[in-house]
Amino acid sequence: MTVTANDVQGMALPSEPDVTPAVLIERARAMAPALVARQRETEERTYYAEDTHRAFRDAGFYRITVPKRYGGYEFGFDTFLQIVMILTRACPSTGWMYCLGAAHSLFAGSMFGEKAQAEIFRGGDFIAPLVNAPHGTARRAADGGWILDGVWKYCSGAPYATHLIGNTMLAEGDGKPPRPLLFIVPRDQWEMLDDWGWQLGLKGSGSHSIRISDGHIPSHFGLEVDFTEISVTGGTPGRDLHEHPQYGGAPASSMALEGAHIAVGMCQGALDAYTELMFSRTTMLPPFPPRVEDPDFQLWYGQASGMIDAAETLVLAAARRWHELSEQPLGAFTPEEDLRIAMTCREATQLAWRAVDEIIQPTAGSTAVREGERLERVWRDLSTGRTHASSAVLLTTVANRGFTQLRLQRERR
């Protein structure tokens, strides 16, 4: 590992005053072919290359949702998500690592106070894994700040991160229950562990663990809140600070949108690989026509394509709904609406996955799932992505129960 704290701090370029979302989206599309070609290399390294990181930085990808007042573009979260889908379609590991590092400028710009944000965004570019599960410990420092210790796992985006956003518990003692602490800690207070790359898939997603040993942060870098209970109905610091209403949007559904755009992008990449097979492979039965001319393969291709297109339509609509609710008067973005968007993301993800798991992968043929083939890699990455806690537990059980309870309470009234 050659990346150091000094490498990632102070590298930000000035914002381009005339750049538009469309320009950034086209930049992502132009990078896609190179990302496809470097998938094996990315897996072997366990994170995307430093020249790819520089290209993302120079393209402005790390400041899409950084607030304007701190040198960012303050573009809509939907622009960021479209770029995520493009990059993930080309290389799932790269898209995952980019998304789950760069996305959280939105969270930081929403939830932390003005004093913290002025320091957090000082470099312009912002990359911070966010670990929801509480790990480690925190205690008060003599100056009123916090001392952190522990290891936080699955920190996607860690190799080039400028910060870590994590959760821990504060032990009260005297029989009192521990209290939650959500914190942000700069890179010079932690080290990345070399413990990623042995999983089934997403081997290049840079999801290393981060260790903090007596790390010190000021008091305004810690929020005594339970991440799972964050509500924006009463407003957020970011809604008061920034012009764009997205800094008052609900964080749970924004993170569900991240996962859904990643999943749909992966499935689009699987369809791209299947498209290549339609032209390069023949059927198994005489007279062995190209698959593109075979009625069965035409049927399978159409079914899979329709399912993935429908999933994309769902996630884009969910992102629009998220923005619409953020723009409405305070109180409109209720916990029920938050969960509704999250469940829509879940359905889109499952629909796209079925297209790959039930149609593309079984009919592609055994040679298409040999080690190193693009479809084999996408299938591994999708399978691993489905084990992510938000996909496996939160969106399939907790969201259903929570939404039902809120909805029926409202109906009863």
Side-chain angles (χ1 to χ4, degrees):
M1 171 57 60
T2 59
V3 183
T4 68
N6 290 333
D7 293 328
V8 296
Q9 299 290 348
M11 295 196 309
L13 300 177
S15 291
E16 302 166 89
D18 299 323
V19 77
T20 64
V23 168
L24 295 189
I25 290 169
E26 284 306 311
R27 288 174 180 173
R29 288 179 177 144
M31 294 179 188
L35 298 180
V36 173
R38 300 180 73 175
Q39 289 180 90
R40 178 187 290 275
E41 168 198 331
T42 299
E43 282 197 331
E44 292 173 350
R45 185 186 302 103
T46 72
Y47 57 96
Y48 56 73
E50 291 189 42
D51 61 326
T52 299
H53 168 58
R54 289 193 297 270
F56 287 177
R57 182 201 69 202
D58 295 346
F61 290 174
Y62 296 131
R63 53 178 62 200
I64 294 173
T65 58
V66 171
K68 279 184 180 179
R69 67 188 294 169
Y70 305 119
Y73 295 125
E74 202 168 303
F75 289 154
F77 189 48
D78 53 350
T79 296
F80 174 83
L81 293 171
Q82 289 181 60
I83 289 172
V84 165
M85 195 153 52
I86 292 167
L87 300 179
T88 308
R89 180 174 186 167
C91 175
S93 280
T94 295
W96 183 288
M97 176 176 164
Y98 164 72
C99 178
L100 297 187
H104 302 128
S105 54
L106 178 66
F107 181 83
S110 301
M111 298 299 161
F112 286 90
E114 183 175 9
K115 184 177 181 181
Q117 290 196 37
E119 298 176 38
I120 290 166
F121 294 123
R122 184 176 295 157
D125 292 346
F126 184 85
I127 307 170
L130 193 160
V131 181
N132 293 334
H135 294 290
T137 62
R139 65 185 190 276
R140 277 291 184 184
D143 62 0
W146 302 98
I147 302 296
L148 302 168
D149 286 281
V151 174
W152 283 258
K153 297 181 179 180
Y154 302 107
C155 301
S156 301
Y160 303 115
T162 59
H163 296 78
L164 166 69
I165 302 174
N167 288 270
T168 190
M169 301 300 291
L170 300 166
E172 289 277 35
D174 299 326
K176 296 179 181 178
R179 293 178 291 114
L181 178 71
L182 186 152
F183 62 86
I184 186 163
V185 56
R187 191 182 182 101
D188 61 9
Q189 297 296 307
W190 53 261
E191 63 174 321
M192 187 185 84
L193 305 183
D194 185 15
D195 63 351
W196 190 251
W198 297 282
Q199 295 70 20
L200 173 68
L202 293 171
K203 295 174 180 289
S205 64
S207 302
H208 303 71
S209 298
I210 284 176
R211 178 164 57 209
I212 305 176
S213 302
D214 287 329
H216 179 270
I217 56 172
S219 60
H220 51 281
F221 276 22
L223 304 174
E224 294 187 50
V225 297
D226 185 335
F227 180 87
T228 63
E229 297 179 358
I230 290 176
S231 173
V232 299
T233 54
T236 66
R239 187 181 178 104
D240 296 331
L241 276 174
H242 308 304
E243 179 180 343
H244 202 301
Q246 68 186 359
Y247 299 103
S253 49
S254 74
M255 293 176 190
L257 284 166
E258 295 165 23
H261 281 75
I262 287 172
V264 172
M266 288 187 190
C267 294
Q268 290 172 330
L271 186 64
D272 290 342
Y274 198 66
T275 302
E276 295 173 3
L277 297 176
M278 291 287 287
F279 289 97
S280 63
R281 302 284 174 84
T282 63
T283 66
M284 293 178 60
L285 300 175
F288 309 111
R291 293 183 180 183
V292 70
E293 298 175 6
D294 180 75
D296 288 335
F297 275 98
Q298 291 171 358
L299 174 64
W300 294 327
Y301 187 91
Q303 288 177 327
S305 181
M307 293 166 75
I308 294 169
D309 285 348
E312 180 184 10
T313 300
L314 277 176
V315 298
L316 294 177
R320 286 196 300 272
R321 180 61 177 160
W322 189 91
H323 275 284
E324 289 168 358
L325 287 166
S326 301
E327 293 165 4
Q328 290 181 20
L330 196 65
F333 212 143
T334 63
E336 180 184 339
E337 293 287 358
D338 192 17
L339 290 171
R340 186 196 304 273
I341 292 173
M343 291 192 302
T344 300
C345 291
R346 179 197 63 212
E347 294 303 312
T349 298
Q350 292 182 348
L351 179 60
W353 162 256
R354 284 178 44 221
V356 177
D357 190 50
E358 298 176 9
I359 301 174
I360 291 177
Q361 198 267 350
T363 63
S366 298
T367 55
V369 291
R370 290 182 301 188
E371 183 177 359
E373 294 292 329
R374 184 178 182 186
L375 186 56
E376 178 265 348
R377 182 175 290 110
V378 173
W379 190 86
R380 284 191 291 104
D381 292 339
L382 275 166
S383 300
T384 302
R386 281 169 57 83
T387 69
H388 191 271
S390 63
S391 300
V393 179
L394 297 180
L395 293 186
T396 56
T397 57
V398 177
N400 283 345
R401 290 197 299 267
F403 174 80
T404 300
Q405 292 164 5
L406 292 169
R407 175 67 180 271
L408 295 184
Q409 286 173 8
R410 180 169 57 82
E411 292 292 336
R412 184 179 291 117
R413 292 195 296 268

